Every structure is written in structure tokens, then in C-alpha cells.
Amino acid sequence: MNNIKRNNKRRHSIKGIGIHQFGDIHQLRDIVLVTPPVGDDEILIQIKASGVLESDWQLRSGQCLSDNLNLPIILGSSGAGIIKAIGKDVSQFKIGDKVFFLTTISAYGTYANETIVPSSHVCLMPHNLTFIESAALLESSIAAWQATVEGRVREGSHVLILGSQTNVALMLIQILKAMGTVVGILYEDVKQKDVIHIDGDCLDPIYKQRRFDLLIDTIGQSYPYLSALRWLKPEAEVIKFTKPKYQVVDKECLSIRYITTYSIKKGLEQIKQLVEKGKLTPVLAHVYPLNIEGIQKAHIKKQYGHCQGEVVVCHRG
């Protein structure tokens, strides 16, 4: 019976890669922590693959600190794996389910053999993806989906994307096309300054029609942003992922909204549906083994590599 695996008397060890102090990649260490009791609404997951996020190397270096977080910690906050135990109030999952998930920053990260995650941050894996592909799908796709929610995107909307080569944009383009929107992508051109492409066709940069209802800025840089404003309707809205240190004053007085919170559960479910319908595909750049050397390489790639696509670490075998 599953009652044995539901109880909270487990005292296994979580073995992973993390830090005892902040610093460069040479601070990465093997970390062993006692597995805490599985809470009533929590899930213990055996990790097969972990996404490597920007926040991972930022936390390692001390740039992204979290309140009430004491060292040592195991790094990582997204992954895919198999459910090993569930809390007594968890009814939508069972032992053995293959899942993918995002979790908040804590001492028990996903660069590990297992971790404990709130059930609200977990979703069944798309049936047509591997663990590695599922781990590569998480952060960028959730951010992209949230942008469509905040922007109230609907079929027929004209949406302009700024930063076509970012990982969020790679997911966003696929999601918007699945929704039946007209997607414009702003590219910088040496001679023409900026060029808009829609489904591969180039719009005349001289005749700037105010045709877009929404601008989604995935890079947060001032020059291309100001250039993009010229392509928008007067009543258009702007979605941004980060607040600038110095606010740019828009003469159009556009409505600007910043994404600060994410509906993780609903987002995961929507992403799963899109993947299973063939409307969304993860973009995977690099896969490394889940060990110190592999994570060092992964952090270097994320911090300095400017890679197009996601980076994943995984257990071999």
C-alpha cells in the first residue's frame, strides 16, 4: 500500500551539488542534507534532470540572495523526475508519476538525487518529451505564457516581440502562433536601424504603420525599446520582465506592466497541453552530467556563453 510511502518518517539523505559560501564556480561542492519530512501538500521527487537557470549562477555568486536562506544549500529550482512519496493531502498525483516542476529557492535545490516540492508547483510531464526535454522547457516557457496572460492576448492580436534570440522569446513566438496571433519580431539592421519581420516577410521600415496592439520586451535595453515604440498603436500596451534602474518616459504614455509573479500550476498545465498538441517544442542548447564538473561547465555557459536555448544537467543512466 502507498501508506508506507506517504508517511513522514523517511530520513534519507539528499545528495547534491551546492555551496558552503558564495563565489565563483570553484565554490561548488558536494552537499549532503537530511531529507526533511514530506509535508501534507508536498511531493518527494527523484530527480532525473535539472534545468540550469540564470538565478542559479546568480545565487551561487551572491548576486541573487533570498531571505532566511542559510548556507550550505543545494542549488537548482527546476527539474523533471519521478514521484517517490506524497503528502496526505495530495490527491492529483501518485507514486511513480513522471513530473516536471518549478520550485522556490531553498536549501533543497534540484541539483540533487531528490527534492521536496509543493504539489502546486508540479505537473505531469508531457507524454511526448523526455526528462531532459521537460527540464529544458520550464522557466522560459512559464515566463512566456505569463506574458500572454498579462497582455490579455487573444486570437487576432498583433504582438511585437523585442529580443527574438532570448530563450523567453523562442518560447513566446511558438505560444503566440499557437494562439492565432500576428507575431512581429523586431530585428536591428546596420543600415535601416530596425526591421520588422512577420512570418518571414520584412515590413518596410520607412512606412511604420502603428499596427501592433502589444509589445513584449524580453531584453530590457533602452535603444531597441524606444525604436519599437514607433510601431505601436496609440492605445497599445507594453509588457516587461524587469524594471529598469532609470525609468524611460514614453511620450505616448503607454500602459507598461512588469511581470513579477507567475501562476506556476496553471502555466505548467497550459505548457503541457501545447507540447502534447505539437504547438510548443523546447529549445535545448547543452546537456551536462549532474556532477561538479558538469555544473561548472553549465554555469559558465549560462553566465558567459550567450547560448540560444536552454542548459540542462542530468543523472546518467
Side-chain angles (χ1 to χ4, degrees):
M1 295 179 64
N2 287 344
N3 289 339
I4 296 176
K5 294 188 178 181
R6 281 181 177 271
N7 68 42
N8 290 337
K9 296 181 180 180
R10 304 176 83 260
R11 274 297 181 265
H12 293 181
S13 294
I14 293 181
K15 300 175 183 178
I17 310 296
I19 53 173
H20 286 275
Q21 62 183 35
F22 301 112
D24 62 18
I25 60 170
H26 300 294
Q27 295 301 327
L28 291 167
R29 298 285 188 274
D30 289 313
I31 304 289
V32 179
L33 301 174
V34 174
T35 303
V38 179
D40 292 346
D41 195 35
E42 292 181 329
I43 299 174
L44 177 71
I45 301 172
Q46 177 189 359
I47 295 169
K48 294 294 187 179
S50 173
V52 179
L53 312 182
E54 293 289 332
S55 58
D56 294 347
W57 69 259
Q58 291 171 351
L59 178 58
R60 183 213 73 221
S61 63
Q63 297 181 34
C64 178
L65 301 181
S66 179
D67 294 338
N68 302 318
L69 188 63
N70 298 316
L71 301 179
I73 59 171
I74 295 172
L75 296 170
S77 55
S78 71
I82 300 173
I83 293 179
K84 306 304 291 183
I86 56 178
K88 67 181 184 65
D89 294 337
V90 177
S91 58
Q92 67 270 44
F93 300 103
K94 65 182 184 299
I95 307 300
D97 280 344
K98 296 179 180 180
V99 294
F100 68 149
F101 60 95
L102 283 169
T103 187
T104 55
I105 294 174
S106 73
Y108 304 94
T110 57
Y111 296 177
N113 61 328
E114 61 184 27
T115 193
I116 293 177
V117 184
S119 64
S120 60
H121 290 193
V122 178
C123 182
L124 293 174
M125 267 175 45
H127 63 72
N128 51 342
L129 292 187
T130 65
F131 289 112
I132 291 174
E133 291 168 332
S134 296
L137 189 66
L138 289 158
E139 184 185 46
S140 296
S141 61
I142 292 294
W145 174 80
Q146 192 69 39
T148 68
V149 174
E150 296 289 338
R152 296 186 289 272
V153 176
R154 60 189 182 279
E155 185 177 358
S157 296
H158 285 57
V159 182
L160 180 59
I161 297 175
L162 185 57
S164 64
Q165 301 304 305
T166 67
N167 290 335
V168 172
L170 294 174
M171 297 293 101
L172 186 58
I173 292 167
Q174 297 182 69
I175 293 172
L176 289 171
K177 288 184 176 181
M179 296 175 70
T181 66
V182 177
V183 182
I185 303 169
L186 178 65
Y187 295 88
E188 293 183 49
D189 183 89
V190 174
K191 295 181 179 179
Q192 298 173 321
K193 298 300 183 183
D194 56 273
V195 179
I196 299 290
H197 288 265
I198 295 180
D199 291 333
D201 294 326
C202 178
L203 298 184
D204 187 346
I206 298 175
Y207 181 57
K208 292 182 169 60
Q209 306 174 66
R210 293 180 175 271
R211 58 177 298 160
F212 291 99
D213 307 298
L214 176 69
L215 169 66
I216 301 179
D217 180 5
T218 70
I219 56 176
Q221 297 176 5
S222 59
Y223 164 70
Y225 169 67
L226 292 173
S227 178
L229 297 181
R230 296 177 293 183
W231 294 86
L232 303 182
K233 296 177 181 179
E235 68 275 16
E237 294 186 324
V238 177
I239 299 295
K240 288 174 166 283
F241 291 93
T242 57
K243 287 189 176 183
K245 293 181 180 179
Y246 305 100
Q247 182 65 49
V248 177
V249 178
D250 304 313
K251 62 181 180 180
E252 301 282 356
C253 296
L254 297 169
S255 171
I256 302 176
R257 275 178 288 159
Y258 298 92
I259 297 178
T260 56
T261 59
Y262 297 87
S263 301
I264 293 176
K265 182 67 172 181
K266 188 173 182 180
L268 288 172
E269 292 171 347
Q270 292 297 316
I271 295 305
K272 177 178 181 291
Q273 291 179 24
L274 287 170
V275 171
E276 292 181 338
K277 291 177 181 178
K279 302 291 186 180
L280 182 64
T281 303
V283 180
L284 182 61
H286 301 279
V287 180
Y288 298 102
L290 207 166
N291 55 34
I292 291 177
E293 182 181 1
I295 293 172
Q296 286 176 335
K297 291 179 179 179
H299 278 211
I300 290 173
K301 187 63 66 174
K302 288 294 288 189
Q303 188 170 357
Y304 305 111
H306 306 293
C307 55
Q308 185 176 351
E310 299 294 347
V311 178
V312 172
V313 291
C314 69
H315 293 287
R316 299 303 188 189

